[in-house]
Amino acid sequence: MKNIKALGLLLLATMIGLGAAVYAAGWVAQQGNIASNKVVVAAMDIEIGSKILPQMLTTVDWPSSSLPGGTFKDPKELQDRVVNVGLLRGEAVLERKLAPAGTQGGLSAVISPGKRAMTVRVNDVVGVAGFALPGNYVDVMVNAQQEKGQDRVRGDDNRQISKTVLEHVLVLAVAQEVGRDDTKPKVVNAVTLELSPEDSEKLDLARNVGTLSLVLRNQTDRQPVMTTGITKDQLLGEAPAKEAKEPKETPVPQVAQAKPRAVRHAPQPKDCVEVVQNGTRVLNCF
């Protein structure tokens, strides 16, 4: 009886194994029939701004159903092209990741149209301890003294203020390196930023009137803040001085002038005649 049960289990296991093998063979055959195209991919890591050489590329079979737009089939099509983003090994080379044909290699190849590259001096503190790497975004803050005459109410000649003057600025390079390595911070003495012409003017003025600091921000955070800045008094919580009020003119009391009173004059004497009649004197006035 036990042998019959064992034999039944063995047959069941055999049937399940055969079914799995048939299914696997069919799946492999189906995958082999999937249409694929030759696609040029990076054979090694290619740094941003690098000119593409033949040994940097290879071709692989890529399923047609998931083929991205802008791919290349022949590595010869990419001869002397320049990448404007870093490519990892095995990553497909796409047209949107390349600088226009004829562009020379270097930092100028990765600057966006209408933008400018400007370098500022930094240290380990200003440079966010070396974590402001190429491809990151930073805000630029300036600490300066307000000029005389801007705080007339307080009467101070100068007032220290810190303010964010630029937001969401792309870091193109640190020192002379445009490559990006997220695992290692790089403490350098210069950082190159991508700016519009107007922002380039702001940065040039800011670095001459005060001390610059870089503030690292999340790459997906594009929300502008537009702060009003903070002064030393606001930072320390000191109450601002009361506004000096101009002295008001003291009104001159007006003395009420007495109205002229009517002057009563004594009655003027009239012409009188004394009349004597029968020994009696009578004074008649008229």
Side-chain angles (χ1 to χ4, degrees), residues 46 120 158 186 208 249 255:
I46 304 177
V120 293
N158 293 289
K186 299 176 183 179
N208 283 281
E249 296 182 359
V255 180

Side-chain angles (χ1 to χ4, degrees), residues 17-201:
L18 290 175
V22 171
Y23 177 79
W27 183 84
V28 171
Q30 184 180 3
Q31 295 298 317
N33 295 330
I34 293 178
S36 62
N37 294 326
K38 291 291 185 180
V39 173
V40 178
V41 299
M44 61 182 66
D45 293 345
I46 304 177
E47 293 186 355
I48 183 174
S50 300
K51 183 175 292 188
I52 296 177
L53 301 176
Q55 62 268 25
M56 297 179 177
L57 305 174
T58 187
T59 57
V60 297
D61 291 328
W62 199 289
S64 301
S65 58
S66 60
L67 188 67
T71 57
F72 297 87
K73 297 180 179 180
D74 190 351
K76 295 181 180 179
E77 301 178 52
L78 298 171
Q79 184 70 28
D80 294 333
R81 294 291 298 271
V82 177
V83 295
N84 54 17
V85 295
L87 296 177
L88 300 178
R89 181 180 179 183
E91 185 176 354
V93 182
L94 306 178
E95 180 64 37
R96 64 174 179 271
K97 298 181 180 180
L98 303 175
T103 304
Q104 299 298 318
L107 182 62
S108 61
V110 302
I111 302 175
S112 302
K115 298 287 187 176
R116 306 291 187 269
M118 189 172 183
T119 302
V120 293
R121 287 187 174 275
V122 296
N123 52 36
D124 57 340
V125 176
V126 177
V128 201
F131 285 100
L133 302 172
N136 293 151
Y137 288 87
V138 297
D139 294 343
V140 180
M141 183 183 300
V142 63
N143 183 291
Q145 297 285 336
Q146 289 182 327
E147 296 181 358
K148 182 178 180 180
Q150 293 184 350
D151 201 6
R152 298 177 181 176
V153 174
R154 291 176 47 84
D156 298 339
D157 289 346
N158 293 289
R159 185 172 64 164
Q160 191 173 12
I161 185 172
S162 289
K163 189 179 188 307
T164 300
V165 292
L166 297 174
E167 295 186 58
H168 202 263
V169 179
L170 175 64
V171 178
L172 291 178
V174 291
Q176 287 78 37
E177 299 181 13
V178 295
R180 179 178 178 182
D181 186 355
D182 294 333
T183 62
K184 296 181 180 179
K186 299 176 183 179
V187 179
V188 295
N189 58 3
V191 172
T192 302
L193 307 175
E194 184 182 71
L195 302 164
S196 65
E198 294 80 7
D199 288 343
S200 299
E201 296 171 351

Side-chain angles (χ1 to χ4, degrees), residues 249-272:
E249 296 182 359
T250 305
V252 178
Q254 297 181 356
V255 180
Q257 297 181 355
K259 295 182 180 180
R261 297 180 179 179
V263 181
R264 296 180 179 180
H265 298 282
Q268 295 294 331
K270 299 180 180 180
D271 293 333
C272 298

